[in-house]
Amino acid sequence: MTPSKTRFCGIYAGLLLCGCDDLVIDCVEHPQWCGDFSVVSLGAVNRADPLATVSVRVATNDASPSYETHFRASFELTQTGRPPIGRGSDLPPPQPLPTGDTGWAVPLSRFFADPQTRLNLPCGPAKLYLHARLRSQPTSTPLTPSSDPDSATFQQHALTDLAISDDRPPTFLAPTAGPAKLPGGAALSTLGLHPGTPFTLYASLDQILGTSQAQLGVGTLDLQTGALASVTTEKNYQFVGETSAARLLVKLAPSAGTCGIASAFAAACAQLDTATAVNDPAKCFSSTAPLAWCFPARSTAAASVDPAGGYFAAVDGPGNLHVHNLSLNLAAKTLSTSEWTSLAFPGFFLVTSGDLDADGSHDLLALRQNLSPLLLFRQSNTFNSSSDKQTLSQEWAARLDAHPQARSSDAVAAIGPFDHCDPGPDVLLASGGTVFVFPNPTQADPSFVKKPLSLPGLPPGSTITALLLADTNADKAADLLLVAAKPDTIYVYSLH
């Protein structure tokens, strides 16, 4: 072997030995890369922003990695486990952030390049994981070594909590076929929608203001065009609302009630494809005992507890609020009601139901002219029976009472999950021809400031007499807003 060749092999062997030493002693000389980082999230992720980033700060004595150290970040979006590290994103060495800290601004697009995928991200809590590739074997078990050939050399250094939000304002598309029409020139006081192809729409038509006349309207609704067709009506019935087993109605009874005019009975319909189905005993049946108030009600609302029961509420002619528990047996065709309470003082003009506290049971919101709204939170077989429910009721009432629209005599309301991202319930309230949304104060927006909605095609100053939020695609969010405006027009708005 020549001397030159001998010198080359010696240098090459020395380099190899040095490399091996580096591989062995990396964690000894650079312990900051073998221990956990202290990572603090500096922001949330707005999934509607294609340029959104997550800023994270690295708190370590030495944020200068060796030349062979690489970083990866990955998200955990569900409780089922962390994603494979192979789906993570390579990051450069930590850089100065606008805050003066050292760390990374991680673009959301690194993880979700497809805009549609990004918008379908689940909202709420998430976790961001940071990993570093070390020249020595990691001291902790790699995250998912089988998912990536390189993952065995990565060590998890830290994780930080963050939140995925959606700051898009709600936007609506007006129906392409124009507003649907109901016959008779009647104001609509209650709306309901039953799934099917097409959907069945129910409405109470108040015929003549100041009289005891009312009728039920049933039609089919095309969700694509907003067209209402095959409308049938039946006098002396009012639609109350949906339970899980049946459609609930109140009907005029031939006997006189306590208020000097005809009394009312509750009725349930397993099938209500046309308004005349109320006369078919195979589809509809009534309670045997009359209600403690007279027909027609000024406002009604129903809610399920389970397939065999639920409750409903009504505001009678003088403005008193009545709440009834009900028991329903479709096989035996029996329906019984018992009045839970009667708030026998006038002033109520509207009642609606919805799960305001997200506990699985529907609650009641009753509006009163020039008075604070009343909230009744369902709890077991009663309402507001614990101090927590009482406190929540008072908080909701105070927040709504801060807005004059909630005390206006023309106000109507609906309750349901309306936010793009937040699954919690919101309150929609219409007054003076404008629809407002009150975000749930326990969710992303604690301010409870009303936000007016822009509804294209709705005539300015319309008298809005009914609102309905309906989940048309089973995604646990309101996809459809129905607005009934005098005299006989239903506007259908798809939420996008």
Side-chain angles (χ1 to χ4, degrees):
M1 181 179 295
T2 64
S4 60
K5 289 184 177 180
T6 301
R7 285 196 303 272
F8 175 79
C9 290
I11 295 172
Y12 180 71
L15 289 173
L16 288 177
L17 288 174
C18 290
C20 291
D21 287 341
D22 284 346
L23 289 174
V24 171
I25 66 174
D26 185 72
C27 288
V28 176
E29 292 186 355
H30 301 283
Q32 67 271 23
W33 302 119
C34 299
D36 289 340
F37 295 167
S38 173
V39 181
V40 179
S41 175
L42 300 181
V45 173
N46 175 16
R47 67 176 184 178
D49 181 3
L51 303 178
T53 61
V54 180
S55 296
V56 293
R57 175 171 62 87
V58 179
T60 181
N61 294 328
D62 183 1
S64 300
S66 60
Y67 72 96
E68 289 185 8
T69 305
H70 300 283
F71 296 91
R72 284 190 179 181
S74 57
F75 273 116
E76 177 185 350
L77 297 170
T78 69
Q79 301 301 317
T80 59
R82 283 167 271 182
I85 192 173
R87 293 170 54 192
S89 173
D90 289 323
L91 300 175
Q95 303 293 324
L97 295 172
T99 58
D101 296 303
T102 300
W104 294 272
V106 182
L108 186 62
S109 59
R110 287 179 176 268
F111 302 92
F112 308 101
D114 179 32
Q116 188 59 44
T117 301
R118 183 167 55 246
L119 293 179
N120 289 335
L121 289 175
C123 296
K127 294 182 184 297
L128 177 70
Y129 294 86
L130 294 181
H131 305 80
R133 193 202 317 263
L134 304 177
R135 287 180 291 178
S136 63
Q137 187 70 18
T139 58
S140 63
T141 303
L143 185 61
T144 50
S146 63
S147 67
D148 181 353
D150 296 328
S151 65
T153 62
F154 276 86
Q155 176 178 320
Q156 176 183 318
H157 277 283
L159 65 88
T160 182
D161 293 321
L162 58 110
I164 295 179
S165 63
D166 192 324
D167 298 335
R168 288 178 295 166
T171 56
F172 300 91
L173 295 179
T176 56
K181 294 283 186 179
L182 283 180
L188 306 177
S189 62
T190 309
L191 293 175
L193 194 67
H194 194 64
T197 307
F199 278 63
T200 302
L201 177 72
Y202 313 112
S204 293
L205 286 73
D206 302 322
Q207 287 185 306
I208 302 174
L209 187 64
T211 74
S212 60
Q213 296 185 14
Q215 63 179 337
L216 168 71
V218 177
T220 59
L221 181 65
D222 187 325
L223 294 175
Q224 299 299 318
T225 65
L228 186 64
S230 304
V231 177
T232 58
T233 60
E234 187 69 16
K235 294 181 178 179
N236 302 326
Y237 280 86
Q238 285 182 293
F239 176 73
V240 174
E242 292 266 353
T243 71
S244 58
R247 272 48 65 198
L248 193 66
L249 312 169
V250 291
K251 60 177 287 188
L252 178 71
S255 57
T258 56
C259 51
I261 54 177
S263 60
F265 281 78
C269 293
Q271 293 178 274
L272 190 59
D273 44 4
T274 66
T276 55
V278 297
N279 302 311
D280 185 347
K283 297 179 179 180
C284 300
F285 50 92
S286 302
S287 60
T288 57
L291 301 169
W293 40 273
C294 295
F295 184 91
R298 295 180 63 180
S299 177
T300 54
S304 295
V305 174
D306 53 56
Y311 65 93
F312 72 96
V315 176
D316 65 14
N320 303 307
L321 177 66
H322 302 264
V323 182
H324 297 261
N325 288 309
L326 61 90
S327 178
L328 178 65
N329 188 323
L330 287 179
K333 292 185 172 53
T334 59
L335 174 65
S336 61
T337 64
S338 60
E339 188 164 69
W340 173 74
T341 187
S342 175
L343 302 179
F345 52 89
F348 292 100
F349 60 86
L350 180 131
V351 61
T352 189
S353 69
D355 188 3
L356 273 170
D357 55 356
D359 67 349
S361 296
H362 277 210
D363 312 299
L364 292 174
L365 165 64
L367 301 181
R368 297 183 286 183
Q369 187 173 1
N370 299 323
L371 293 171
S372 175
L374 174 69
L375 282 300
L376 297 175
F377 285 87
R378 183 76 175 184
Q379 192 169 10
S380 185
N381 292 324
T382 183
F383 296 85
N384 293 8
S385 57
S386 72
S387 58
D388 289 343
K389 297 289 186 180
Q390 288 281 6
T391 300
L392 192 59
S393 172
Q394 293 167 0
E395 290 176 353
W396 267 97
R399 291 185 178 107
L400 282 170
D401 196 43
H403 302 277
Q405 290 85 358
R407 303 188 302 273
S408 176
S409 61
D410 70 337
V412 293
I415 300 168
F418 181 71
D419 190 90
H420 282 292
C421 191
D422 189 349
D426 304 305
V427 173
L428 263 66
L429 189 144
S431 176
T434 302
V435 181
F436 303 94
V437 59
F438 294 84
N440 192 311
T442 63
Q443 306 295 329
D445 185 354
S447 63
F448 203 75
V449 175
K450 66 178 183 291
K451 301 174 182 179
L453 301 182
S454 177
L455 301 176
L458 185 67
S462 295
T463 302
I464 301 170
T465 58
L467 295 175
L468 175 66
L469 289 170
D471 180 6
T472 62
N473 60 4
D475 66 350
K476 298 182 180 179
D479 301 297
L480 192 67
L481 172 66
L482 300 177
V483 180
K486 284 183 179 179
D488 58 1
T489 304
I490 296 179
Y491 293 88
V492 181
Y493 294 94
S494 298
L495 175 61
H496 287 258

